[in-house]
Amino acid sequence: MRKVLMLLFVMMMFSILAVPAFAQTGDAAHSGTNWVAITSGFAIAIAAGLAAQGQGKVGSAACEAMARNPAARHTFSSR
């Protein structure tokens, strides 16, 4: 039991003392790729594409409705 506690204590101390070794310097923070800009560009492109597809379906449904009932075209245009 004493060996296990000593091992846990040593592992805890290593993890606490190793934190400054993984700290970034000021130069390393600016040299990476700006992933936020790249992913937001893809998200906006997907959203615009899906919105255009939805508008196309609305137009398609309106044209199909007018083709199925041609008399409705005259009632809407006379108002």
Side-chain angles (χ1 to χ4, degrees):
M1 182 69 176
R2 186 173 173 104
K3 288 183 181 182
V4 173
L5 287 175
M6 187 62 161
L7 179 65
L8 289 174
F9 178 73
V10 169
M11 288 175 56
M12 183 181 68
M13 290 307 291
F14 277 146
S15 66
I16 290 172
L17 295 175
V19 171
F22 296 115
Q24 285 186 342
T25 61
D27 297 335
H30 297 293
S31 65
T33 304
N34 190 1
W35 290 107
V36 174
I38 294 170
T39 55
S40 64
F42 280 120
I44 290 172
I46 290 170
L50 292 176
Q53 190 173 21
Q55 286 179 346
K57 284 189 177 190
V58 167
S60 170
C63 290
E64 185 178 343
M66 295 294 261
R68 287 178 185 251
N69 189 4
R73 182 178 347 176
H74 299 293
T75 59
F76 288 123
S77 62
S78 64
R79 289 184 185 175

